[in-house]
């Protein structure tokens, strides 16, 4: 059974940093691209960042480019999102999502339950 | 970026009746080399993560009831629920994966009339 478990969310002040993690199990992690998708309270879905199977291809939404860094550790079956210079508008539930294939683009066939990030003073 | 729009914003349908949701992309998501539309549909129920329903615009994900169907090509797509059930109350999102800047539609909320 595929499982994606996010962690690392919490309350953080504007301008500070936070690192999210996603622990994956139930599939061959290094065969697939992985993504972060967020959802602000009461709002729709926004793709944040994605990374191909071997980290050779990485993409970011314009809204986070230069502030967020995605990475993965295939030996640990883990995905990460380093979030710096956080803003109030980054407040959201952050989902880890598995890509359908190894390349960066694609749809998501499995999602975690999400970890909540709240940016507030 | 490819901008996705959906209509209507919300709709209420009687149990057993048909629900139709439209999705439009600002540019074609049909890849000519393989004739595939890079378009997916998701269902999100309250308090839950999204669930994949349809990919390649019309391929139903394993385990998804056959009352859900996807159609369309190029820039215009439709998700149809042929006979609405109570458990289908949710927000539905389309998503394009033609571009590496992946984008979602704003969502359509489906309720029971």
């Amino acid at each position: 059974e595929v499982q994606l478990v996010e962690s690392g969310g919490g309350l953080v002040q504007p301008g500070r940093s936070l690192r999210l993690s996603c622990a994956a199990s139930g599939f061959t992690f290094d065969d697939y691209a992985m993504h972060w998708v967020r959802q602000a309270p009461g709002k729709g879905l926004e793709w944040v960042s994605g990374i191909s199977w071997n980290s050779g291809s990485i993409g970011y939404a314009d809204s986070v480019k230069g502030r967020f860094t995605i990475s993965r550790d295939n030996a640990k079956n883990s995905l990460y999102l380093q979030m710096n210079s956080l803003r109030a508008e980054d407040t959201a539930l952050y989902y880890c999502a598995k890509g359908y294939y190894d390349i960066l683009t694609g749809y998501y066939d499995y999602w975690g339950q999400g970890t909540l990030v709240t940016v507030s003073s | 970026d490819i901008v996705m729009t959906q209509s209507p914003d919300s709709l209420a349908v009687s149990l057993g009746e048909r629900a139709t949701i439209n999705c439009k992309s600002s540019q074609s998501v049909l890849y000519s080399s393989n004739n595939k539309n890079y378009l997916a549909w998701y269902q999100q129920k309250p308090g839950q993560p999204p669930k994949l329903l349809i990919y390649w615009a019309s391929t139903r994900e394993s385990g998804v009831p056959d009352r859900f169907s996807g159609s369309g090509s190029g820039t215009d797509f439709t998700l149809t629920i042929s006979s609405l059930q109570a458990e289908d109350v949710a927000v539905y999102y389309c998503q394009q994966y033609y571009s590496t800047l992946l984008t979602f539609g704003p969502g359509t909320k489906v309720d029971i009339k």
Side-chain angles (χ1 to χ4, degrees):
Chain A
E1 178 194 5
V2 171
Q3 285 199 320
L4 300 170
V5 181
E6 303 93 337
S7 61
L11 174 62
V12 60
Q13 293 179 327
R16 304 297 291 266
S17 299
L18 209 57
R19 189 193 195 210
L20 305 184
S21 300
C22 171
S25 61
F27 65 101
T28 305
F29 184 72
D30 55 10
D31 277 351
Y32 296 95
M34 296 295 295
H35 297 258
W36 289 99
V37 178
R38 69 185 180 184
Q39 188 168 35
K43 302 297 185 183
L45 301 169
E46 179 189 17
W47 173 75
V48 173
S49 182
I51 186 168
S52 63
W53 68 281
N54 64 350
S55 306
S57 186
I58 287 175
Y60 298 98
D62 289 343
S63 58
V64 307
K65 198 173 296 182
R67 300 188 298 123
F68 290 11
T69 303
I70 192 171
S71 63
R72 64 189 295 162
D73 185 337
N74 287 344
K76 295 183 178 179
N77 288 352
S78 294
L79 175 72
Y80 306 101
L81 186 68
Q82 178 66 43
M83 304 186 296
N84 298 332
S85 303
L86 282 162
R87 306 167 180 168
E89 54 264 36
D90 295 319
T91 294
L93 187 62
Y94 284 73
Y95 292 107
C96 168
K98 172 185 168 291
Y100 86 102
Y101 202 43
D102 57 359
I103 58 174
L104 183 58
T105 188
Y107 56 86
Y108 316 117
D109 51 5
Y110 291 94
W111 298 65
Q113 292 296 312
T115 187
L116 181 63
V117 173
T118 303
V119 183
S120 174
S121 54
Chain B
D1 299 7
I2 299 177
V3 177
M4 308 299 291
T5 57
Q6 289 182 231
S7 63
D9 295 336
S10 64
L11 74 161
V13 175
S14 300
L15 289 172
E17 296 300 306
R18 178 184 300 261
T20 301
I21 301 168
N22 300 302
C23 172
K24 190 175 182 68
S25 56
S26 61
Q27 64 187 74
S28 177
V29 298
L30 174 63
Y31 195 39
S32 57
S33 67
N34 60 11
N35 201 38
K36 287 190 171 188
N37 287 283
Y38 284 53
L39 190 285
W41 288 97
Y42 300 87
Q43 174 194 64
Q44 187 178 31
K45 297 180 180 181
Q48 296 185 18
K51 172 188 173 183
L52 176 66
L53 294 177
I54 303 281
Y55 54 94
W56 302 126
S58 60
T59 302
R60 202 177 301 115
E61 171 72 334
S62 175
V64 173
D66 60 7
R67 63 179 179 274
F68 291 92
S69 63
S71 63
S73 185
T75 62
D76 292 279
F77 301 90
T78 300
L79 175 70
T80 301
I81 310 172
S82 60
S83 175
L84 191 75
Q85 305 298 304
E87 61 265 32
D88 301 334
V89 169
V91 178
Y92 294 83
Y93 296 92
C94 60
Q95 177 228 342
Q96 66 79 20
Y97 48 101
Y98 182 91
S99 163
T100 53
L101 287 178
L102 304 160
T103 48
F104 290 89
T108 295
K109 185 175 182 181
V110 174
D111 272 319
I112 304 296
K113 185 186 293 183

